Amino acid sequence: GDSVTQMEGPVTLSEEAFLTINCTYTATGYPSLFWYVQYPGEGLQLLLKATKADDKGSNKGFEATYRKETTSFHLEKGSVQVSDSAVYFCALSETSGSRLTFGEGTQLTVNP
Amino acid sequence: KAGVTQTPRYLIKTRGQQVTLSCSPISGHRSVSWYQQTPGQGLQFLFEYFSETQRNKGNFPGRFSGRQFSNSRSEMNVSTLELGDSALYLCASSLDGARISGNTIYFGEGSWLTVV
């Protein structure tokens, strides 16, 4: 079945550092890929998405490129802020409808 | 516009009881899906409803059920609660699923269920 694997956390960075959170997936078809962010005590917010190979999703300084050849969708940000501290989830959707398969989540802490 | 609204936000139940959680999707959204989030299992898909019909179902026992009303509001029910059902239950809505380019799935803030 479908699966998503994220780099293990937690990740701790200093403000203005470069961020990479690795995400690889296994799917039988051509999934859509997503990054969601969850702040403490809140639900999930969509950060960015890509629906086909070589698409680049971007939002709030975060970027991720859909790499079909490496089945990856790594999240990057050039300069993190304290306010970026949250849990980040990589997810895919292959079937029609809203069934999302999530990775384990990566806790990011950014220190001033 | 108003986001996805879930009620109640917090609740405590006793083993063996049953619970009903409610979700009001964003106006105009016809797809509602439910997820369970626990520290051990992460985020797991429960089921999705579209136009009052269950369209997808995850791998959960029959104690977990749901339904959708004609106004797209949805409820999920868990019967014969077990300690392991303690979790954050998240509802999500979208116009018509994740596969539609440009479509976005919006999540509510969740209902925290504690089973004692």
Side-chain angles (χ1 to χ4, degrees):
Chain A
D2 297 346
S3 66
V4 176
T5 302
Q6 289 181 234
M7 67 183 289
E8 291 188 16
V11 174
T12 302
L13 296 173
S14 298
E15 206 165 24
E16 299 184 3
F18 184 86
L19 169 71
T20 299
I21 301 178
N22 290 337
C23 170
T24 57
Y25 67 89
T26 301
T28 54
Y30 302 93
S32 293
L33 302 173
F34 308 84
W35 277 101
Y36 280 86
V37 58
Q38 186 174 36
Y39 298 100
E42 298 185 11
L44 299 172
Q45 297 177 27
L46 178 67
L47 185 58
L48 53 83
K49 64 186 280 188
T51 57
K52 61 183 187 297
D54 299 325
D55 268 2
K56 177 186 281 190
S58 61
N59 186 28
K60 300 180 181 179
F62 291 89
E63 294 183 339
T65 300
Y66 189 139
R67 300 288 188 199
K68 184 171 179 293
E69 63 276 13
T70 55
T71 62
S72 65
F73 193 55
H74 305 321
L75 182 68
E76 296 181 338
K77 186 175 186 184
S79 176
V80 294
Q81 306 300 313
V82 172
S83 58
D84 293 327
S85 298
V87 180
Y88 291 81
F89 291 92
C90 185
L92 70 79
S93 176
E94 186 162 35
T95 60
S96 62
S98 297
R99 181 173 188 152
L100 290 166
T101 299
F102 286 91
E104 308 89 345
T106 301
Q107 171 76 56
L108 170 66
T109 300
V110 180
N111 295 318
Chain B
K1 55 184 177 182
V4 180
T5 304
Q6 293 188 243
T7 57
R9 287 294 317 279
Y10 305 92
L11 65 166
I12 300 174
K13 291 286 187 179
T14 303
R15 266 185 306 176
Q17 287 186 316
Q18 66 99 24
V19 66
T20 299
L21 308 178
S22 181
C23 172
S24 293
I26 291 171
S27 178
H29 285 190
R30 297 166 65 192
S31 168
V32 174
S33 51
W34 290 88
Y35 293 81
Q36 182 196 64
Q37 185 176 20
T38 60
Q41 299 297 318
L43 280 154
Q44 294 187 288
F45 173 81
L46 281 156
F47 29 65
E48 183 215 0
Y49 287 86
F50 181 81
S51 293
E52 303 179 66
T53 301
Q54 188 179 84
R55 187 158 68 172
N56 277 303
K57 187 177 187 305
N59 189 26
F60 278 80
R63 301 185 297 108
F64 291 82
S65 63
R67 60 177 175 168
Q68 186 180 34
F69 302 96
S70 58
N71 61 359
S72 293
R73 190 177 70 85
S74 177
E75 290 181 346
M76 67 162 284
N77 183 277
V78 188
S79 62
T80 320
L81 284 166
E82 301 176 357
L83 296 179
D85 297 333
S86 295
L88 175 65
Y89 290 88
L90 290 164
C91 173
S93 80
S94 66
L95 283 171
D96 185 13
R99 288 291 291 159
I100 307 300
S101 180
N103 201 22
T104 298
I105 299 174
Y106 297 88
F107 281 81
E109 295 198 339
S111 293
W112 289 92
L113 170 65
T114 301
V115 181
V116 297

